[in-house]
Amino acid sequence: MSEPNEHSRTRAITLRVNGTECRGQVEPRKLLVDFLREDLGLTGSHVGCEHGICGACTILINGEAARSCLMLAVQANGAELMTVEGLAHQAGEPLALPGKTGPLHPLQAAFWEHHGLQCGFCTPGMLMTAYDLLQTNATPSEKEIRAGLSAVLCRCTGYQGIVEAVQAAAETLRARREGE
Amino acid sequence: MKPPPFAYHAPTQLDEALALLERHGDDAKVLAGGQSLMPLLNFRLSYPSALIDINRVAELSYIRQENGQVRIGALTRQRTIEFSELVRHQLPLLYEATTLVGHLPIRTRGTIGGSLAHADPAAEYPTVALVLDAELVLQGPSEQRSVSAEEFFVSYLTTALALNEIVTEIRFSPAPPTSGWAFEEVARRHGDFALVGVASVIDADGEQCRTARLAAAGVGPTPVRLRAAEDILMQQGVTEQSIQHAAAQAAELVEPDSDIHASADFRRHLTQVLTRRAIQRALERGQEQGA
Ligand SMILES: Cc1cc2nc3c(=O)[nH]c(=O)nc-3n(C[C@H](O)[C@H](O)[C@H](O)COP(=O)(O)OP(=O)(O)OC[C@H]3O[C@@H](n4cnc5c(N)ncnc54)[C@H](O)[C@@H]3O)c2cc1C
Ligand code: FES
Ligand code: FES
């Protein structure tokens, strides 16, 4: 049997979030998304279902999209995370600070332009999922976009605007790469 | 909700993980990708006193070719399998099935060992393991044993794994290069668990069928090998008629339950339709391979 105090003993963790080193002291059972929201004040990642279905908590963990409600904060020790706050990234500036914004990422700009959001609850998860989709498939078809975004539930938009936004962002990113 | 309290261990060596599992006994749970276990903890459907997190046991994560087999470490992420060239060439059925497991953000964390150990009968990997006659390597504190997928799946969410054992490796023998394959499923939404899924691997030459392997997901407490349907193809060859026969036989072989997602009748109907599609698709692909 384990010692009763083993359960609530907190652990020190160090990780990078949106390019900034962050430290925390967490109980092992603390979910990563709760650590981001409560301890770091990064409330952009939303908590919808806590069982992996809705996708609102999706962030990038070492560059790949994953559910932050299905990971413990202790498991992120040493990891490199990007949350929706990190998307609007002013080159070179640390962005872990809440309330601090840079220019919008092409995905964010496209969501704005194409009515990719209404209430905004799903938006952080949609953006991070679309980010991962475009980095694994730079020229997705509409069908592939719909399949990829089926990882996140939206109760408002009917998805059409979101799909159009991702198509537009893929174009912008492609043009930007070709311009380089 | 939030997980109940537990003692947390994150060993970096397999030996250490096994010793912890032995020490904590049946109160402990192994944590791999967490894509099935974390929801159970968050909903307080599971109250382990200790979690043994194997995510830092690097020796459990690999895909390699050895003795004519493709051997995959239990901690290998579903996403890694999806993007592996070796898997795509040697185990195309495993690749195809992987793209049907949840969504990309789920596959980022979810592992092959976790999916097999969890043993959801509607899951893709158990069915693929069964149809490819995969072997699972189970490591206990002192002994290692290897069991076939057929022996491994015992019942709903129940496997042959002992409380002090960890799945360490899954061994697949690639099908002959002239074979075709398919994983056909019907799910309510893209990325949902399948209502029914059928996997096929068929090696045919014209109408002559050298081997046919078929298995179904979502139609009982474990994935089901459809042997009598395989026999029809092997004995009668592959013709329009024998395919219909085999598909009808498949529907006879399964005993699905009704639940909130689908009735038993509908699942049986799907078994027939999907078996037919899985055979046809495998034959088409086999011809492409041969061409
Ligand atoms: C939204 C969503 C959709 C999903 N859709 C699908 C789907 O369509 N198809 C599908 O197949 N799956 C689906 N899954 C489940 C997913 O594939 C899980 O990754 C998988 O079932 C469990 O793997 P894991 O590595 O996450 O294991 P965990 O959740 O960490 O563990 C699951 C169980 O296996 C045990 N375990 C894990 N690894 C080992 C090991 N090496 N040795 C011994 N025991 C071990 C754990 O103790 C636990 O009991 C979905 C999950 C989510 C959240
Ligand atoms: S809160 Fe994580 S997927 Fe819904
Ligand atoms: S915008 Fe409201 S849930 Fe998607």
Side-chain angles (χ1 to χ4, degrees), chain A residues 146-167:
Chain A
R146 286 187 182 275
L149 296 181
S150 69
V152 189
L153 298 180
C154 176
R155 310 313 319 247
C156 305
T157 61
Y159 300 100
Q160 190 57 38
I162 297 176
V163 173
E164 282 162 16
V166 175
Q167 281 172 317

Side-chain angles (χ1 to χ4, degrees), chain A residues 11 29 34 50 65 75 132, chain B residues 1-3 8 42 79 108:
Chain A
R11 313 276 174 124
R29 67 185 178 123
D34 292 329
E50 296 184 323
Q75 294 186 290
D132 194 23
Chain B
M1 297 202 322
K2 307 296 174 189
Y8 175 78
N42 288 355
R79 181 177 182 130
T108 297

Side-chain angles (χ1 to χ4, degrees), chain A residues 52, chain B residues 29-30 32-37 78 101-102 110-111 114-115 123-124 167 193:
Chain B
K29 273 267 167 211
V30 170
Q35 304 301 293
S36 293
L37 184 53
Q78 295 153 4
V101 177
T111 67
S115 178
E124 286 82 5
V167 182
F193 273 99

Side-chain angles (χ1 to χ4, degrees), chain A residues 6-153:
Chain A
E6 253 184 276
H7 291 60
S8 46
R9 187 166 58 87
T10 61
R11 313 276 174 124
I13 59 171
T14 306
L15 61 166
R16 287 182 80 78
V17 183
N18 302 328
T20 301
E21 186 171 288
C22 302
R23 288 163 195 282
Q25 192 72 36
V26 295
E27 234 188 288
R29 67 185 178 123
K30 182 151 207 156
L31 299 179
L32 178 56
V33 69
D34 292 329
F35 172 73
L36 292 171
R37 292 175 55 87
E38 294 165 8
D39 297 33
L40 299 185
L42 292 168
T43 52
S45 304
H46 292 162
V47 183
C49 68
E50 296 184 323
H51 65 295
I53 299 289
C54 75
C57 68
T58 306
I59 63 171
L60 298 192
I61 298 170
N62 297 325
E64 298 175 343
R67 306 298 204 224
S68 60
C69 71
L70 298 185
M71 246 180 105
L72 302 167
V74 279
Q75 294 186 290
N77 189 25
E80 172 98 44
L81 311 187
M82 183 161 97
T83 66
V84 71
E85 288 90 345
L87 265 186
H89 195 147
Q90 192 134 39
E93 268 194 58
L95 258 179
L97 302 176
K100 192 172 154 83
T101 58
L104 295 182
H105 183 275
L107 267 166
Q108 292 170 305
F111 267 60
W112 184 354
E113 191 64 31
H114 293 269
H115 306 290
L117 65 150
Q118 288 180 28
C119 79
F121 192 84
C122 70
T123 314
M126 283 290 180
L127 288 167
M128 303 317 282
T129 304
Y131 185 97
D132 194 23
L133 172 72
L134 294 183
Q135 71 178 0
T136 51
N137 179 359
T139 53
S141 64
E142 186 193 330
K143 205 170 155 217
E144 288 168 333
I145 292 173
R146 286 187 182 275
L149 296 181
S150 69
V152 189
L153 298 180

Side-chain angles (χ1 to χ4, degrees), chain B residues 205-272:
Chain B
D205 184 4
E207 284 193 359
Q208 192 212 333
C209 179
R210 283 187 284 257
T211 55
R213 291 184 282 177
L214 299 165
V219 290
T222 63
V224 181
R225 190 70 187 260
L226 303 169
R227 296 225 187 252
E230 299 174 356
D231 290 344
I232 291 177
L233 297 180
M234 288 193 282
Q235 284 156 14
Q236 302 179 9
V238 284
T239 62
E240 193 73 12
Q241 205 188 12
S242 74
I243 294 171
Q244 299 291 357
H245 248 139
Q249 178 67 58
E252 295 292 312
L253 291 171
V254 299
E255 287 177 20
D257 282 331
S258 295
D259 61 20
I260 51 166
H261 305 294
S263 68
D265 281 349
F266 183 45
R267 284 201 160 92
R268 202 182 286 282
H269 170 72
L270 285 178
T271 306
Q272 177 161 358

